[in-house]
Amino acid sequence: MKVCILAAGCGTRMNRYGEWIHKGLLPVRGQAVISHLVAQFPKETEFVIALGFRASQVRDYLLIAHPGRKVSFVEVGNFEGAGSGPGLSLLSCKAWLNEPFIFAASDGIFEFAGVPLHGNWIGVQKVADPEKWCSVETTSSGGVTAFHYKTKAPTHLAFTGIAAVHDHQAFWQGLEGDGRLARGELQVN
């Protein structure tokens, strides 16, 4: 199994903390957020880390904190400004991800014990203010019917930043095909 951790972004919403430390390295319950994510996966998991902002901090931390884990680092050329975004980070990692994979934001705490690590799925959470997030419309059985990026929508489900991609060829075709920019960034929705 491969897991792509998106750690290229600048963390502009982190305000003062982003000036000194990468958002994925901020401590929660005594360890870096990114370590909580790595710990969710079996020891044999292969990680692909998209790097950009404060790349050396993330690389050095992971090599020290998680020795023995199989990690590939991919530098994202445009990690800030027009055309950047999580979609671009994923496209930068495509050569390492031509098989089913999971991708996750480096600054999220995801507790998914019992969730199958295969198939196609996205993590969602009910929120009071969906217009602040990428919101998701679903069927009664959980199938995704629409995404709305930071707009008023008829849903209170927000994409949490983690997804499993089993049908990777279709995923790459969709991401490369329409090049949707939202607020100047290439999004995965």
Side-chain angles (χ1 to χ4, degrees), residues 135-178:
S135 57
V136 181
E137 287 186 66
T138 62
T139 64
S140 60
S141 62
V144 175
T145 59
F147 288 96
H148 305 278
Y149 189 73
K150 295 185 179 181
T151 61
K152 192 144 182 80
T155 180
H156 283 278
L157 292 177
F159 173 53
T160 61
I162 188 167
V165 179
H166 179 76
D167 299 328
H168 57 95
Q169 292 171 331
F171 176 82
W172 295 123
Q173 287 174 348
L175 193 56
E176 292 172 325
D178 59 15

Side-chain angles (χ1 to χ4, degrees), residues 29 40 69 99 112 120 123 129:
R29 296 188 308 256
Q40 294 273 340
R69 288 286 199 159
E99 60 188 74
F112 49 93
N120 294 309
D129 47 3

Side-chain angles (χ1 to χ4, degrees), residues 1 3 32 64 66 92 110 125 128 130 143 152 156 159 167 176 188:
M1 171 195 311
V3 174
I64 292 167
H66 300 283
S92 298
F110 308 100
Q125 175 67 43
K152 192 144 182 80
H156 283 278
F159 173 53
D167 299 328
E176 292 172 325
V188 294

Side-chain angles (χ1 to χ4, degrees), residues 2-179:
K2 287 192 179 175
V3 174
C4 182
I5 298 178
L6 306 178
C10 296
T12 54
R13 291 177 294 203
M14 299 298 291
N15 296 327
R16 60 186 171 166
Y17 301 112
E19 293 178 34
W20 301 286
I21 189 167
H22 186 277
K23 60 188 178 179
L25 301 180
L26 290 170
V28 173
R29 296 188 308 256
Q31 70 180 145
V33 172
I34 200 168
S35 284
H36 288 278
L37 181 57
V38 170
Q40 294 273 340
F41 294 97
K43 295 285 186 208
E44 64 275 7
T45 301
E46 295 182 41
F47 290 93
V48 178
I49 313 296
L51 297 175
F53 182 73
R54 304 221 183 276
S56 61
Q57 282 184 359
V58 176
R59 181 185 296 108
D60 293 348
Y61 173 81
L62 288 170
L63 291 173
I64 292 167
H66 300 283
R69 288 286 199 159
K70 185 168 183 181
V71 180
S72 298
F73 296 102
V74 178
E75 296 279 341
V76 177
N78 178 20
F79 60 86
E80 182 177 29
S84 64
L88 180 65
S89 291
L90 280 165
L91 285 173
S92 298
C93 296
K94 181 182 175 187
W96 289 264
L97 301 172
N98 277 316
E99 60 188 74
F101 64 95
I102 290 174
F103 72 86
S106 67
D107 60 345
I109 299 280
F110 308 100
E111 296 181 9
F112 49 93
V115 174
L117 299 180
H118 58 278
N120 294 309
W121 54 262
I122 63 170
V124 296
Q125 175 67 43
K126 282 190 177 185
V127 295
D129 47 3
E131 64 278 355
K132 291 183 178 179
W133 314 100
C134 173
S135 57
V136 181
E137 287 186 66
T138 62
T139 64
S140 60
S141 62
V144 175
T145 59
F147 288 96
H148 305 278
Y149 189 73
K150 295 185 179 181
T151 61
K152 192 144 182 80
T155 180
H156 283 278
L157 292 177
F159 173 53
T160 61
I162 188 167
V165 179
H166 179 76
D167 299 328
H168 57 95
Q169 292 171 331
F171 176 82
W172 295 123
Q173 287 174 348
L175 193 56
E176 292 172 325
D178 59 15

